[in-house]
């Protein structure tokens, strides 16, 4: 963890995808992806969807139809990989092949329920904050690979238990959104939360360039695309330019 804090702001971030093969009596395979979306939830199934460009890996994927799909995040500093951490793993459940007139792709998705040990983290530099339905919601233009649902999060002057963590990554863009659980620790009173929730629900939903919409209030000067809590294939932009999916 100490190494992470030393390199996280200076390192190039990269993401890698592995499809395991032991379940089908074969080897693991690393496959290039162009985007992924994940939703990790406390006590409920984690969801992951990855998009593989082209269909050249269709045969290898079919040979590992019972495998697990895993996304790793690495930190590269001065050309050397300093850290590589698994950020999400699920059981492969669906293989969809899309062939259009101009492009082809394979989408792999699945679920898995895990219950990690609770830890405490302090996060800075959020790009978005809201209170919806009395629950805090924070969005960041980076991904912390060590945070899990159920952890105690301190951000923007609030402390709460994370219930839902959503990742959206596309090329050099990424967002991480954390949503508070129903029963949590908060520095604000319930009446204040209720007032803010009413305010956010009464605001009109504005459509952004991605076609997404959000009903909420924001306390930052940066606007961002919506990261919907549904299992969608939309991706959100990040202001960082050093991240990549090889």
């Amino acid at each position: 963890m100490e190494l992470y804090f030393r390199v996280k702001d200076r390192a190039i971030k990269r993401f890698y995808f592995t499809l395991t093969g032991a379940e089908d009596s074969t080897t693991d395979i690393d496959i290039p992806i162009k985007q992924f979306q994940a939703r990790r939830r406390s006590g409920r199934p984690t969801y992951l969807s990855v998009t593989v460009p082209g269909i050249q890996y269709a045969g290898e994927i079919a040979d590992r139809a019972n495998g697990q799909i895993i996304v790793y995040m690495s930190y590269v500093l001065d050309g050397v990989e300093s850290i590589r951490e698994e950020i999400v793993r699920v059981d492969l459940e669906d293989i969809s092949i899309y062939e259009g007139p101009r492009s082809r792709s394979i989408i792999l998705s699945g679920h898995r329920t895990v219950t990690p040990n609770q830890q405490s983290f302090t996060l800075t530099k959020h790009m978005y904050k809201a209170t919806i339905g009395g629950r805090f919601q924070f969005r960041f233009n980076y991904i912390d690979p060590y945070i899990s649902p159920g952890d105690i999060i301190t951000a923007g002057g609030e402390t709460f238990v994370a219930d839902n963590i959503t990742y959206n990554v596309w090329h050099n863009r990424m967002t991480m959104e954390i949503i508070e659980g129903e029963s949590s620790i908060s520095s604000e009173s319930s009446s204040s939360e209720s007032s803010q929730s009413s305010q956010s629900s009464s605001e009109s939903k504005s459509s952004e360039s991605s076609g997404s919409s959000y009903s909420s209030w924001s306390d930052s000067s940066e606007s961002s695309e919506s990261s919907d809590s549904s299992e969608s294939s939309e991706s959100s932009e990040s202001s960082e330019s050093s991240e990549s999916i090889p």
Side-chain angles (χ1 to χ4, degrees), residues 33-47:
I33 58 174
K34 68 177 182 179
Q35 72 175 32
F36 74 88
Q37 297 81 37
R39 185 172 68 184
R40 303 174 63 197
R41 298 179 291 185
S42 180
R44 290 169 290 167
T46 286
Y47 171 80

Side-chain angles (χ1 to χ4, degrees), residues 156-168:
E158 315 295 349
T159 299
F160 59 95
V161 176
D163 176 70
N164 187 320
I165 301 175
T166 301
Y167 307 135
N168 280 282

